[in-house]
Amino acid sequence: MKKLTLLVMILSLFFMFSCASDDDDDNPSTDGDSLVVSDSDTVSQDEDSVTDEEPQIDEDSVNKDEEPQPDEDAVKEDSDPEVDEDGTVQDEEPQIDEDSATPDEDEITDVDVDTEEPIETFTPGTYTRTYKVRTPKDAVCSHLLDVYEHAWNYRPLGVVAFGFTSMLDGTDNVVAEHAALRFDRISIPENAVIDSVKMFIYPHNEVDSSNKVYMMFGFEDSANSAAFDPSNYDSGRPDQRNFASAQISEYLIKCDSDCRPDWMGEAYCEERTNDCWDRNTPYQLRDKNSVFKTALQSIVSKDGWQAGNAITFLSSGMYPSKMDPEEEKAYSESRLVMGYSEDSTDKVPYIEITFTVQ
């Protein structure tokens, strides 16, 4: 009996050790940094280990199953390109200099192309618009250089002379200055009614403010005044432009420059109170008897006039028809006015027109 009991105990111990060994094989244990698989097959990992991300591929390595990518600089054509007699390769695409590339037809190729806003349009009503000289060539002045050679000259751009100038021939002979102020992009529609015209200029200086000058003023008789070309001495000069029939033939620019109260009476000088010859103050050329209005009305009523056309204001030194020749000497000087200059675009000639669209 004792032997049987001992045998049972030995078998029990053997069985216990055998089960323990099987458990160790089915459930491997690891330290804290090792992977642990739970009953739910959920994987947990250490922060420093990665198991879900795809392995990183070295960019310098090449998959042997893929064809290697050729070097773009080393690509060569299978066949030799055609070559001209002078050695020019025909098949190669020409290199284009971006700075000298020719733009498409739809692109602007000329810096002088007008890219401004469309001309303003109007519904019936009364409007007042101001138009300015916009380029140096739109404010010009011509005069006769040599009576015998009949040679003409343009004054340098930027300044316009009203009145007369010396012939520079060693004599007292003088010739008239012919000035022109051109205004383009006039938005007045055809057959509009001109209600008033106000013409303004800026004196160039105050030195010649005491010069007494008789002038003829008016507008060019044209439905669309052509631009001036100061390099062309043969045609299109201001003196070759025709005045509209309505014109002021004896406009006196006289008077004091200090604009004192008219204590001497109106007979002293009709324009004196308007003759503050100050380079910082616009000087208005008054529309006597509505001559400017009448002349401009005749222009916008011409065949060929349309909104966007140009008009030119003309002036010329001229003595009154009844003036004694000896007296003319006192009226043979000039007054300089501003034309167009990049340095003073705020002091250019301008015209203010009020008109009615029916």
Side-chain angles (χ1 to χ4, degrees):
M1 188 69 170
K2 290 181 179 180
K3 293 181 177 180
L4 180 62
T5 303
L6 181 61
L7 178 61
V8 170
M9 291 176 64
I10 292 172
L11 291 175
S12 298
L13 291 172
F14 178 80
F15 179 76
M16 291 174 62
F17 283 111
S18 176
C19 290
S21 176
D22 290 340
D23 290 339
D24 291 339
D25 293 337
D26 293 339
N27 299 293
S29 60
T30 62
D31 57 15
D33 295 331
S34 301
L35 184 67
V36 177
V37 179
S38 66
D39 293 339
S40 61
D41 295 331
T42 302
V43 178
S44 64
Q45 62 184 16
D46 184 78
E47 291 181 358
D48 296 332
S49 63
V50 179
T51 59
D52 292 339
E53 296 181 1
E54 294 182 3
Q56 300 297 317
I57 299 175
D58 185 1
E59 294 181 357
D60 295 333
S61 65
V62 179
N63 190 338
K64 294 182 179 180
D65 295 335
E66 297 180 357
E67 295 183 4
Q69 299 298 320
D71 184 0
E72 294 181 359
D73 296 333
V75 174
K76 303 292 183 182
E77 302 227 355
D78 294 338
S79 59
D80 294 334
E82 295 182 6
V83 180
D84 284 344
E85 294 179 357
D86 59 358
T88 303
V89 178
Q90 292 295 323
D91 291 343
E92 290 185 357
E93 189 172 351
Q95 300 298 318
I96 299 177
D97 184 359
E98 295 181 357
D99 295 333
S100 61
T102 301
D104 296 334
E105 292 182 358
D106 294 336
E107 296 181 6
I108 297 176
T109 58
D110 189 346
V111 295
D112 292 330
V113 173
D114 192 353
T115 58
E116 298 181 83
E117 295 296 326
I119 299 298
E120 184 180 9
T121 58
F122 301 94
T123 57
T126 299
Y127 305 87
T128 298
R129 294 293 181 269
T130 298
Y131 307 96
K132 296 182 178 182
V133 166
R134 304 193 310 136
T135 73
K137 294 182 181 180
D138 287 333
V140 295
C141 192
S142 64
H143 59 268
L144 185 63
L145 268 181
D146 191 321
V147 176
Y148 302 102
E149 296 294 333
H150 202 67
W152 287 80
N153 189 30
Y154 274 93
R155 273 185 175 270
L157 300 181
V159 178
V160 174
F162 281 0
F164 296 83
T165 188
S166 173
M167 287 290 294
L168 300 179
D169 57 358
T171 68
D172 294 333
N173 294 330
V174 295
V175 291
E177 292 277 10
H178 302 271
L181 306 175
R182 182 174 179 268
F183 306 91
D184 64 352
R185 295 176 60 84
I186 302 296
S187 57
I188 301 174
E190 57 184 323
N191 297 321
V193 176
I194 305 301
D195 298 315
S196 67
V197 177
K198 296 179 181 179
M199 184 69 210
F200 296 91
I201 56 175
Y202 278 89
H204 178 265
N205 61 74
E206 293 81 17
V207 176
D208 57 11
S209 61
S210 61
N211 295 344
K212 298 175 291 185
V213 179
Y214 266 109
M215 302 292 301
M216 179 171 71
F217 291 130
F219 287 91
E220 182 186 3
D221 189 20
S222 172
N224 189 16
S225 183
F228 291 93
D229 180 7
S231 65
N232 181 0
Y233 297 95
D234 299 322
S235 61
R237 302 187 309 261
D239 60 279
Q240 294 174 313
R241 307 289 179 106
N242 295 322
F243 281 79
S245 57
Q247 56 193 246
I248 300 176
S249 58
E250 297 180 2
Y251 190 106
L252 177 62
I253 300 180
K254 185 185 174 184
C255 319
D256 298 323
S257 60
D258 58 359
C259 297
R260 292 176 299 169
D262 196 6
W263 56 270
M264 296 185 70
E266 184 177 355
Y268 172 69
C269 180
E270 186 177 359
E271 286 87 19
R272 196 179 70 75
T273 56
N274 188 48
D275 196 27
C276 298
W277 203 250
D278 180 355
R279 72 185 70 191
N280 296 314
T281 304
Y283 176 87
Q284 182 181 351
L285 299 171
R286 294 187 303 109
D287 185 9
K288 290 185 175 182
N289 301 319
S290 300
V291 170
F292 295 165
K293 169 186 171 182
T294 302
L296 192 55
Q297 183 67 68
S298 69
I299 293 171
V300 300
S301 300
K302 284 180 175 292
D303 293 335
W305 173 266
Q306 62 180 4
N309 282 6
I311 61 175
T312 292
F313 182 82
L314 298 172
S315 74
S316 178
M318 177 173 287
Y319 302 118
S321 57
K322 297 181 179 181
M323 179 174 284
D324 186 279
E326 290 299 322
E327 190 180 0
E328 291 178 358
K329 295 180 182 180
Y331 296 86
S332 298
E333 298 184 65
S334 65
R335 291 205 184 191
L336 300 181
V337 303
M338 294 298 298
Y340 182 95
S341 172
E342 294 292 346
D343 297 331
S344 55
T345 55
D346 58 331
K347 296 179 181 178
V348 297
Y350 65 94
I351 187 170
E352 183 181 288
I353 306 174
T354 300
F355 58 93
T356 298
V357 179
Q358 299 176 335

